[in-house]
Each structure stands twice: as structure tokens, then as C-alpha cells.
């Protein structure tokens, strides 16, 4: 049973809800530490949260205020970032090197943010030092408020799935390989929820290793929230003999379409409704297999879990359900193009999503951003965007802007590749507040690259093989291109996005592929509202100082406002959420 202190906290929260107009606060205490696991049959150190790998699901509702005290029990600095959470006018909470000083080993820091006007499926992960390759990730589920109905029947349950390429090497070893120009190579396996594959092939998979079993009831419909939290591998997701009804991706309801399988690229999240409509003659395979690779040498790197009906008559057997052709880029591109925004559905607000007619807005800035494979710059392996490899300054960009420190960064990121040697620099995109930016990603690498923009959902309006030209705009979808925060760019191809720059702050635009990101394939977008000085959230009271501002750093105890709050277990947090909803109803 929760303690009396727990219920006192609930009473306090209800009172706080009255004072703040009904937007509840939820509190969490997270300890990030190394834990021992054997996802592929070999004991290794992984990064867990409160001892869990993957970490806990952050299950909240639109407009809730989230307070998370993060204790860093690793042996190196840490930041957590919230993939797809927009942090409206509050980039202080974004958890990347350009906005936050790292939480040093043995320290803690409290994130406080509101999931303002958002719904959907997202995830969090550690953003520094290649740490995501060792875990530290978990899901974020933002539920609709009761006044906004779902555009589909309420499913019987939610099933989160985290799919990832996995190496038995530690993140420290992997980042050394990347720094030396060594390819990551074939993953040792693909995990589903931190667990290795079912023994679908005795010649490939060791016996006796654990695997994931998803228990379901015949006739029920489940919402599978599937996240590719991996390092660099696109994965094809499918469930044997079951259709995947796509309903949402990264905070946008989609036109509902059935798919036999879905390519899910690094950093992407999807929601599928899956109805248990089979006869349960046996269990069924859940599969996540690599895409755009040589299948013969990558066969062992296939993630397999088991879908088990309660009335199943036997174990799964036989071959795995067929994936698409390994090198069929057109199949994957056409699949991506078929994902459309549901413009008739309400999301976080009562009005339909499609009332925002992005195709009628005049573009104010155009950036054609070209990437290339890793190259030697000043004797070190680096990756670039438009010939610039991002160099993180010792003083985060956001702090330098706040304190008017000159020389930390320049607002001169080029709108296209310049005719000059590649260089390492701290160059930002100078965004126009309330402008409308068009970004074209041109992939000159040989692998799928994926790009994510913090602080925003952008409209994916076009993609094609070849080189983008001005005439390519004639192929854009200007009505129902899906709004999301991560998009894939196929090798030798381009992808175009449109972004309304209405969220002031400094925002990270990055490669989601960890090897590309770690070597410098990122840039920040500065969006300053010059008209209203107080439009952004102020400098947090508990800010960590570093770099040129290190002298301002106070004692650890004076920085943390929430360190004395009790840890909330998963069961207690569920009870708390229910009580807060009840408080909201009482207040209303």
C-alpha cells in the first residue's frame, strides 16, 4: 500500500491543480545506473533506470506537468532527452549538449516540463557519449484528455515494444571504434524490449536464452506502440498472420491503413491497432529484421518475440513471415509516402489537425542540407552537414545566449553546400520566429540516414530518388503530409520537410543514427522572438553551469528542488495518475 506521505502528496497535487487551472503535476525519481543483463546470452553492463532495462514508461496526459529528478549513478556525464516532446518555449529542458550542461557522475538534476498540446507515442534516451547504445531508453505515452475522443475504438490494452540493433560491446568500446574510423559492423543481434530472439533457427540462436512473450486474448484489439531506439539499423516490423492498422506516428493521427509490415527507421515511433483474429492453432512470431543489408550475413541479427494467445494450441514453428526485398528502396519509399495525416481527427485540441493548412503558407527560408560519409578532418574522423562538422562548445549555446557571451557560436550555417573544404565549427541556423522553413535533406551516403528536429513536429512533404531540384516541389504533398519529428532519407535520395518556426528557443537538428551524430552530423536552429522578451521560459532556478560560466555553479544541494521527494513505484504512480484524474474531475 502507498504510504500516508504518498496520499498527502496527492492532496497537495489536487490543491496545486486548483491554483494552476487544473493542469496536474506528476513527480518521478529516476536513478540512472549500470545493471547487469544478458540480452544475447552474454553478461554485459547495460544502462538501466531504477534498475529496469528498458526504463519505465512515462505515461501521462496532454498538458500534464512532468517533474523528473534524475540521479546520475554512471561513471560519466549524462543528459536525458525526450524524443518528440516539443517543450514549448522551454528548450532548457531539452536535454542535449546545446541546451544543458551535463549531469556529472554522482550528481542529479530535475527536469520540469509540460507536455503541452501533444498526444501520442515517443521515447526518451541518454543523449551524450554514445550511451544510447547501452540502453537508458524508455517510452513516453501521452494520452488524450477525456474531452477529446480517439479517432478509433478504445483498444483493450497498450503494448509498448522497443526494437533495437544491439552489440555486446559497451557504448565506450563502440564510440572508440567510431572515432577510429572502424565500421560498427553487423550487430550481434536485434532486441525486442531488451531481450534477445526466440530460437527460430537452431543454427543461429543459442538455446536456453530468454525471449519476449506477449500474452493476448483472442478477439481483443491491442495498441502496439513500436519504437526503433537503435544505433543505426532500419528494421522491418511484422506480426505473423496479423494486420498492422496504422493509427498514429510521433504525435499525429494518421489515415488508418492496414500494413502487412512496416519499415521503422532509427528514432521513429508508430502505433498500430492489432486485432487477435486468428484461430490460435499456434503461437505467432513478432519479428524485427534489418533492412537494406546483405541478408545472408545479417540473418542472425533478427529480433523475434512470441505472440501468445491464452488459448493457443502450440508453439510457433516454421519459417518467419517474409520481409520485403532487402534492397527494394522503392517499396520502402512508397510505403513512407502512403503514411498520411488524418486531417479530420482532433488531437490534443478540439479542432481537427487539418485546420492548419500548411500548403498555403509562404516559405521564408530554404535549406538544402547535404550529408556525406565520414571523412578525415584535421586528422580525425568526422561527419558533416553542408561541409560543417558540429563542434559542441564547453558552454551550452542556450546559456551563452542567455548571458550574451560572444564567440561561443556563429549564426552562419550555410543554406547549401559551399565550395570549400570540410571543417569543424559551431555554426547555427538563424531561424526566423514565426517564419516557415523548408529543409531538404540530400543523402550522399550509402546507408539510410534519419534526421530529427527537437521542439517541433514538421510536415514530411516529399521524398524521391536522385538529386533535389527546384522542380521537385511540384511533387510535394501540400495537404496531408504527416507531421512528425523524425524522417528517413534513403541513400542517393532526398526528403523535404516544412517547419513552422513558432517555438522560440535553440533546437537540435540531428542525425538519429548514433555513429553519424557522434561524429558531428548535427546543427542547432536558433529561433528568437524579438518582440516579446518574456515569451520563453526563464532560466531554471536549478540550472547547472559549466564552461565559461563554471564559476556560477553552486553547491549541489542548492540546485535540486525535488531531491527530497519520495520515489514513486510503478504501481503507486498508476494510483497517483488515477487520483489526479479524479482531482481534475472534482475541480472541473
Amino acid at each position: 500500500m502507498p504510504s500516508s506521505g504518498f496520499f498527502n502528496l496527492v492532496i497537495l497535487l489536487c490543491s496545486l491543480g486548483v491554483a494552476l487551472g487544473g493542469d496536474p503535476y506528476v513527480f518521478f525519481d529516476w536513478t540512472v545506473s549500470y545493471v547487469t543483463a544478458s540480452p544475447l546470452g552474454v553478461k554485459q553492463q547495460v544502462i538501466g533506470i531504477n534498475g529496469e532495462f528498458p526504463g519505465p514508461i512515462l505515461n501521462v496526459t496532454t498538458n500534464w506537468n512532468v517533474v523528473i529528478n534524475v540521479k546520475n549513478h554512471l561513471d560519466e556525464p549524462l543528459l536525458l532527452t525526450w524524443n518528440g516532446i516539443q517543450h514549448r518555449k522551454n528548450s532548457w529542458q531539452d536535454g542535449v549538449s546545446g541546451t544543458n550542461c551535463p549531469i556529472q557522475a554522482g550528481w542529479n538534476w530535475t527536469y520540469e516540463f509540460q507536455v503541452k498540446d501533444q498526444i501520442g507515442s515517443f521515447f526518451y534516451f541518454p543523449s551524450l557519449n554514445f550511451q544510447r547504445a547501452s540502453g537508458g531508453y524508455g517510452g513516453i505515452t501521452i494520452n488524450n484528455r477525456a474531452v477529446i475522443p480517439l479517432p478509433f475504438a478504445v483498444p483493450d490494452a497498450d503494448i509498448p515494444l522497443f526494437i533495437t540493433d544491439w552489440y555486446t560491446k559497451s557504448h565506450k568500446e563502440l564510440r572508440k571504434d567510431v572515432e577510429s574510423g572502424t565500421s560498427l559492423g553487423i550487430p550481434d543481434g536485434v532486441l525486442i524490449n531488451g531481450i534477445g530472439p526466440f530460437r527460430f533457427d537452431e543454427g543461429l540462436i543459442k538455446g536456453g536464452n530468454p525471449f519476449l512473450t506477449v500474452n493476448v486474448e483472442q478477439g481483443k484489439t491491442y495498441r502496439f506502440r513500436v519504437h526503433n531506439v537503435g544505433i543505426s539499423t532500419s528494421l522491418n516490423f511484422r506480426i505473423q498472420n496479423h494486420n498492422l492498422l496504422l493509427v498514429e506516428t510521433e504525435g499525429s493521427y494518421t489515415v488508418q491503413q492496414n500494413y502487412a509490415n512496416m519499415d521503422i527507421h532509427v528514432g521513429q515511433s508508430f502505433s498500430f491497432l492489432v486485432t487477435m483474429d486468428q484461430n490460435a492453432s499456434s503461437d505467432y512470431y513478432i519479428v524485427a529484421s534489418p533492412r537494406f543489408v546483405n541478408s545472408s550475413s545479417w540473418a542472425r541479427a533478427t529480433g523475434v518475440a512470441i505472440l501468445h494467445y491464452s488459448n493457443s494450441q502450440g508453439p510457433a514453428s516454421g519459417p518467419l513471415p517474409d520481409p520485403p526485398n532487402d534492397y527494394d528502396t522503392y517499396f520502402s519509399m512508397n510505403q513512407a509516402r502512403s503514411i498520411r495525416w488524418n486531417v479530420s481527427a482532433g488531437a490534443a485540441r478540439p479542432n481537427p489537425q487539418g485546420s492548419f493548412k500548411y500548403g498555403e503558407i509562404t516559405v521564408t527560408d530554404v535549406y538544402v542540407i547535404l550529408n556525406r560519409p565520414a571523412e578525415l578532418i584535421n586528422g580525425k574522423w568526422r561527419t558533416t552537414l553542408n561541409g560543417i562538422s558540429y563542434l559542441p562548445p564547453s558552454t551550452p549555446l542556450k546559456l551563452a545566449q542567455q548571458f550574451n557571451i560572444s564567440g561561443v557560436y556563429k549564426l552562419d550555417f550555410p543554406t547549401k553546400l559551399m565550395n570549400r573544404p570540410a571543417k569543424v565549427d559551431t555554426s547555427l541556423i538563424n531561424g526566423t520566429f514565426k517564419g516557415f522553413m523548408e529543409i531538404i535533406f540530400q543523402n550522399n551516403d550509402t546507408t539510410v540516414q534519419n534526421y530529427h528536429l527537437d521542439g517541433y513536429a514538421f510536415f514530411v512533404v516529399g521524398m524521391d530518388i536522385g538529386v533535389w531540384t527546384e522542380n521537385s516541389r511540384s511533387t510535394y504533398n501540400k495537404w496531408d503530409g504527416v507531421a512528425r519529428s523524425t524522417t528517413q532519407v534513403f541513400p542517393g535520395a532526398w526528403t523535404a520537410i516544412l517547419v513552422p518556426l513558432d517555438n522560440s528557443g535553440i533546437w537540435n537538428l540531428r542525425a538519429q543514427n548514433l555513429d553519424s551524430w557522434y561524429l558531428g552530423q548535427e546543427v542547432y536552429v536558433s529561433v528568437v522572438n524579438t518582440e516579446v522578451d518574456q515569451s520563453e521560459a526563464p532560466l531554471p532556478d536549478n540550472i547547472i553551469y559549466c564552461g565559461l560560466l563554471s564559476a556560477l555553479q553552486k553547491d549541489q544541494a542548492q540546485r535540486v528542488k525535488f531531491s527530497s521527494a519520495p520515489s514513486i513505484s510503478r504501481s503507486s504512480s498508476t494510483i497517483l495518475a488515477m487520483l489526479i484524474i479524479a482531482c481534475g474531475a472534482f475541480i472541473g
Side-chain angles (χ1 to χ4, degrees):
M1 285 289 293
S3 67
S4 59
F6 173 80
F7 286 108
N8 289 337
L9 177 61
V10 172
I11 293 169
L12 172 64
L13 292 176
C14 289
S15 302
L16 191 61
V18 173
L20 296 174
D23 289 337
Y25 275 68
V26 286
F27 298 80
F28 302 90
D29 237 353
W30 285 3
T31 298
V32 182
S33 64
Y34 295 116
V35 298
T36 300
S38 304
L40 294 173
V42 178
K43 280 190 177 182
Q44 62 182 120
Q45 231 180 29
V46 303
I47 297 175
I49 296 179
N50 292 349
E52 299 178 34
F53 168 70
I57 303 295
L58 186 61
N59 195 338
V60 294
T61 295
T62 301
N63 291 349
W64 282 16
N65 296 280
V66 180
V67 183
I68 305 177
N69 181 37
V70 175
K71 303 174 183 178
N72 180 12
H73 284 200
L74 303 180
D75 57 358
E76 57 186 13
L78 168 76
L79 284 173
L80 291 181
T81 193
W82 319 90
N83 208 67
I85 303 304
Q86 294 178 15
H87 301 296
R88 300 296 301 176
K89 300 181 181 180
N90 193 10
S91 55
W92 297 112
Q93 307 297 321
D94 202 24
V96 287
S97 67
T99 59
N100 296 85
C101 294
I103 308 167
Q104 296 297 325
W107 290 19
N108 61 344
W109 194 67
T110 304
Y111 290 89
E112 184 171 345
F113 56 86
Q114 185 179 28
V115 288
K116 180 69 174 171
D117 292 332
Q118 286 192 264
I119 55 93
S121 309
F122 312 94
F123 64 93
Y124 60 85
F125 66 90
S127 65
L128 301 179
N129 298 319
F130 224 78
Q131 289 164 355
R132 192 175 80 212
S134 286
Y137 52 76
I140 303 172
T141 297
I142 307 180
N143 304 290
N144 287 52
R145 291 175 292 159
V147 295
I148 312 295
L150 292 169
F152 45 82
V154 177
D156 292 288
D158 259 37
I159 299 175
L161 294 179
F162 304 97
I163 58 178
T164 174
D165 50 357
W166 190 258
Y167 296 81
T168 54
K169 284 184 176 181
S170 71
H171 68 276
K172 296 177 182 178
E173 294 173 294
L174 290 172
R175 75 186 182 216
K176 286 180 181 177
D177 287 346
V178 170
E179 288 169 355
S180 69
T182 303
S183 169
L184 290 171
I186 301 171
D188 295 304
V190 167
L191 308 187
I192 303 180
N193 284 7
I195 306 177
F198 170 79
R199 197 179 187 190
F200 65 94
D201 185 325
E202 294 185 2
L204 294 173
I205 310 300
K206 294 180 182 179
N209 290 339
F211 58 87
L212 176 69
T213 299
V214 176
N215 294 304
V216 295
E217 298 285 337
Q218 191 173 36
K220 291 188 175 181
T221 297
Y222 298 82
R223 183 172 181 172
F224 284 74
R225 299 180 190 260
V226 189
H227 313 269
N228 186 336
V229 295
I231 299 173
S232 63
T233 306
S234 297
L235 296 170
N236 181 266
F237 178 78
R238 53 201 185 275
I239 302 178
Q240 185 180 28
N241 291 3
H242 290 74
N243 284 320
L244 308 174
L245 180 64
L246 178 65
V247 295
E248 177 260 335
T249 180
E250 296 163 27
S252 288
Y253 290 128
T254 63
V255 172
Q256 295 174 23
Q257 301 178 76
N258 277 308
Y259 295 86
N261 59 75
M262 177 64 71
D263 284 344
I264 304 179
H265 303 275
V266 176
Q268 292 186 334
S269 300
F270 288 89
S271 281
F272 306 102
L273 296 185
V274 183
T275 300
M276 303 303 131
D277 55 5
Q278 299 301 297
N279 60 17
S281 59
S282 68
D283 292 342
Y284 300 92
Y285 294 121
I286 300 172
V287 183
S289 60
R291 291 284 278 131
F292 313 110
V293 295
N294 184 315
S295 58
S296 59
S297 58
W298 282 64
R300 62 183 169 86
T302 299
V304 181
I306 294 299
L307 185 74
H308 174 72
Y309 282 49
S310 60
N311 60 338
S312 172
Q313 299 173 34
S317 61
L320 301 180
D322 291 333
N325 183 290
D326 280 337
Y327 293 101
D328 191 349
T329 300
Y330 284 99
F331 170 88
S332 192
M333 184 175 288
N334 286 333
Q335 185 184 70
R337 288 169 173 157
S338 72
I339 300 169
R340 301 300 181 97
W341 208 25
N342 185 344
V343 297
S344 63
R349 299 175 180 176
N351 57 302
Q353 301 178 112
S355 61
F356 184 79
K357 297 180 173 60
Y358 68 87
E360 298 176 7
I361 300 173
T362 301
V363 169
T364 57
D365 302 279
V366 179
Y367 282 80
V368 180
I369 298 180
L370 182 141
N371 71 290
R372 291 191 298 228
E375 58 190 294
L376 283 170
I377 304 176
N378 300 328
K380 294 185 178 180
W381 287 101
R382 304 290 301 183
T383 53
T384 61
L385 296 174
N386 282 0
I388 297 177
S389 186
Y390 179 76
L391 178 66
S394 60
T395 307
L397 310 169
K398 187 65 184 161
L399 272 174
Q401 182 190 67
Q402 174 77 19
F403 285 87
N404 295 315
I405 302 173
S406 60
V408 173
Y409 62 86
K410 295 173 285 187
L411 294 170
D412 64 351
F413 188 83
T415 59
K416 60 183 179 181
L417 179 68
M418 307 298 286
N419 184 21
R420 63 189 183 195
K423 64 177 181 177
V424 177
D425 206 352
T426 309
S427 176
L428 277 60
I429 291 175
N430 190 7
T432 305
F433 183 65
K434 292 189 177 178
F436 198 53
M437 183 176 289
E438 177 184 13
I439 300 175
I440 300 97
F441 297 105
Q442 184 76 54
N443 184 2
N444 275 25
D445 209 335
T446 57
T447 59
V448 177
Q449 296 293 314
N450 306 284
Y451 292 97
H452 174 91
L453 178 59
D454 284 349
Y456 293 94
F458 50 69
F459 299 97
V460 183
V461 294
M463 59 179 66
D464 206 350
I465 303 295
V467 176
W468 181 89
T469 68
E470 301 281 342
N471 292 332
S472 301
R473 292 194 179 100
S474 64
T475 67
Y476 284 6
N477 175 358
K478 293 191 174 182
W479 167 241
D480 61 356
V482 71
R484 63 187 316 160
S485 58
T486 301
T487 188
Q488 70 272 44
V489 191
F490 295 98
W494 57 268
T495 295
I497 65 172
L498 295 175
V499 192
L501 297 180
D502 60 350
N503 191 12
S504 51
I506 289 183
W507 304 105
N508 186 226
L509 175 61
R510 62 175 175 267
Q512 290 282 52
N513 301 41
L514 269 183
D515 47 351
S516 300
W517 183 14
Y518 184 72
L519 292 180
Q521 215 169 79
E522 65 178 319
V523 64
Y524 283 80
V525 183
S526 175
V527 183
V528 177
N529 182 354
T530 58
E531 298 176 3
V532 184
D533 293 336
Q534 303 302 316
S535 64
E536 280 193 66
L539 181 78
D541 292 339
N542 66 337
I543 197 72
I544 298 175
Y545 294 101
C546 56
L548 298 173
L549 296 168
S550 296
L552 297 178
Q553 181 57 51
K554 299 178 181 178
D555 181 72
Q556 166 81 122
Q558 296 177 24
R559 289 188 294 99
V560 181
K561 296 186 293 183
F562 179 58
S563 56
S564 61
S567 239
I568 299 177
S569 68
R570 181 168 290 190
S571 59
S572 296
S573 63
T574 301
I575 296 169
L576 175 59
M578 294 171 65
L579 288 170
I580 289 173
I581 292 170
C583 287
F586 175 77
I587 293 165

